[in-house]
Amino acid sequence: QWLKDLGMNNSQVARAISTLPQLFGYSLDNNCNPKLCMLRKRGFTDSQIAGVLSRFPQILSYSSNRLTHRMGILADQGRLTDTSLCNAVRLTDVKFAELF
């Protein structure tokens, strides 16, 4: 229901869950909601967040520190978008440092 409350349709929810079945075990209070708040504070709309989670639900598996750090660098460079975040968070620390 949490994903649907963000505006995801049934096919997007199905895709997210089939890509990352661990979503069923994630704590809303300790994982999902804090990360949702982080994204909103950086200016992402629920529609954009739904798109990110549909394309790359694994973003919820990364630490808050990693997300905060990478979003900060991308924002400082004026490059923070839903697509850039999905791409940047997947990179190793070394590759991220090389590119950003």
Side-chain angles (χ1 to χ4, degrees):
Q1 185 62 42
W2 186 81
L3 295 172
K4 292 193 94 167
D5 290 344
L6 286 173
M8 292 176 76
N9 63 40
N10 288 338
S11 65
Q12 289 174 312
V13 170
R15 180 176 176 198
I17 291 171
S18 68
T19 302
L20 187 68
Q22 297 89 335
L23 280 172
F24 285 118
Y26 287 177
S27 168
L28 292 179
D29 293 333
N30 296 321
N31 184 359
C32 300
N33 287 331
K35 289 175 183 169
L36 177 63
C37 287
M38 287 172 34
L39 292 166
R40 285 176 174 157
K41 284 181 183 175
R42 283 291 181 174
F44 288 96
T45 65
D46 282 359
S47 176
Q48 289 172 312
I49 295 168
V52 167
L53 294 176
S54 174
R55 289 189 314 273
F56 189 62
Q58 298 92 327
I59 198 163
L60 294 173
S61 67
Y62 290 96
S63 73
S64 294
N65 289 340
R66 181 185 188 105
L67 293 174
T68 300
H69 173 72
R70 294 191 180 197
M71 282 193 292
I73 290 173
L74 291 169
D76 289 347
Q77 295 179 359
R79 299 169 65 181
L80 181 59
T81 66
D82 52 348
T83 301
S84 69
L85 179 60
C86 288
N87 292 333
V89 79
R90 300 177 210 223
L91 299 172
T92 64
D93 290 339
V94 170
K95 191 67 174 174
F96 181 80
E98 286 175 10
L99 295 174
F100 299 98

